[in-house]
Amino acid sequence: MLLDSEAENDVAYELCQIVGRAILPYRSSDDTDHRFGTAFFFQGTDDPVGESLLTAADLVGTPGGELGLRPSVTEPAGVAPAAVMEGEIRPGWARFPSDGVAVLPTGGLHRYAGDGGWSWRVQPVPAGIAAGPEVVARLGADATSAFVLAHGVREDGSRPLEVAIERVVRDGDTVRITTELPPGYVGAPVFVVQADATGEVSLYCLGLVLPGVGGHPVATFDRIRAVLPPTPGDA
């Protein structure tokens, strides 16, 4: 569904309200490479152990990766560190390069927070809005409004939460954002608005942004679900 600019702005605002605290800045670093991206919390079931952190596989797997923390995603105020080094979290990222996805069970993140005297205050993307195959099938060559919530990278190194309003299309099995996004957007969740067969309009999380040139493939949730373990959190 291609929305007018006013409706797009309304959707962008609402997304920040309902899942803004699902989004974290990610930085990977080794001796030769510094890459910036975004990760997000996903609640796969009603049980807390169904929670995972998701991002793009290309971002993770090198030493020195870290998750940035905004004050709004932790409590009480002033206790959590500015960043969590991924080497301190067990279990760590599980990478699925063929699907482009990395999954981090959040049990280790919650234990880390508890040991430090603070807790997470996040708004995971709920399973109920994760796009199923029928949502992907309704996409086509005609552009659809797409909304990407990400932590960009400013010249001063800050990582603000941003919403990019873009266009997404489907060509066969490939779903793609049609323009190249700024640094920091790889791994971020992508949202669309669609009307179903009855005409009811709903918001869906289509998947996450993968690296690209001139545009970006999207790892859709049918691919993401295929790599999520039955209980993503570690018991």
Side-chain angles (χ1 to χ4, degrees):
M1 178 179 290
L2 188 61
L3 305 176
D4 61 40
S5 59
E6 183 176 354
E8 287 181 334
N9 289 334
D10 289 343
V11 171
Y13 175 81
E14 288 301 320
L15 279 171
C16 288
Q17 305 310 303
I18 62 175
V19 293
R21 286 188 282 112
I23 319 298
L24 297 178
Y26 183 81
R27 179 185 65 84
S28 61
S29 178
D30 58 26
D31 292 339
T32 60
D33 190 18
H34 297 270
R35 287 170 289 171
F36 297 91
T38 295
F40 66 100
F41 283 85
F42 174 67
Q43 184 67 51
T45 68
D46 292 335
D47 192 307
V49 300
E51 185 184 72
S52 299
L53 197 68
L54 305 177
T55 194
D58 282 8
L59 287 175
V60 304
T62 59
E66 65 177 33
L67 291 165
L69 300 181
R70 307 195 317 276
S72 62
V73 302
T74 68
E75 57 186 6
V79 178
V84 175
M85 300 301 296
E86 67 173 23
E88 300 183 57
I89 306 303
R90 292 290 182 273
W93 289 102
R95 297 178 67 250
F96 302 91
S98 61
D99 297 291
V101 177
V103 180
L104 178 69
T106 60
L109 289 174
H110 289 288
R111 283 194 297 271
Y112 178 88
D115 290 345
W118 56 278
S119 61
W120 294 92
R121 181 175 173 264
V122 296
Q123 301 164 297
V125 173
I129 68 168
E134 71 284 354
V135 175
V136 177
R138 284 196 289 264
L139 298 173
D142 294 333
T144 292
S145 297
F147 306 85
V148 185
L149 267 66
H151 283 275
V153 183
R154 297 283 173 85
E155 290 185 3
D156 62 2
S158 61
R159 303 289 309 277
L161 180 64
E162 302 172 347
V163 183
I165 301 174
E166 301 293 340
R167 301 290 179 262
V168 68
V169 297
R170 180 172 64 88
D171 181 9
D173 293 332
T174 301
V175 176
R176 187 173 183 83
I177 294 172
T178 58
T179 57
E180 189 165 344
L181 294 165
Y185 278 66
V186 169
V190 183
F191 299 86
V192 296
V193 175
Q194 277 191 1
D196 62 19
T198 67
E200 183 175 355
V201 176
S202 300
L203 174 73
Y204 298 97
C205 185
L206 187 59
L208 62 82
V209 177
L210 298 179
V213 177
H216 294 269
V218 175
T220 52
F221 254 102
D222 52 347
R223 294 166 61 182
I224 294 171
R225 282 193 182 91
V227 300
L228 290 176
T231 55
D234 60 330

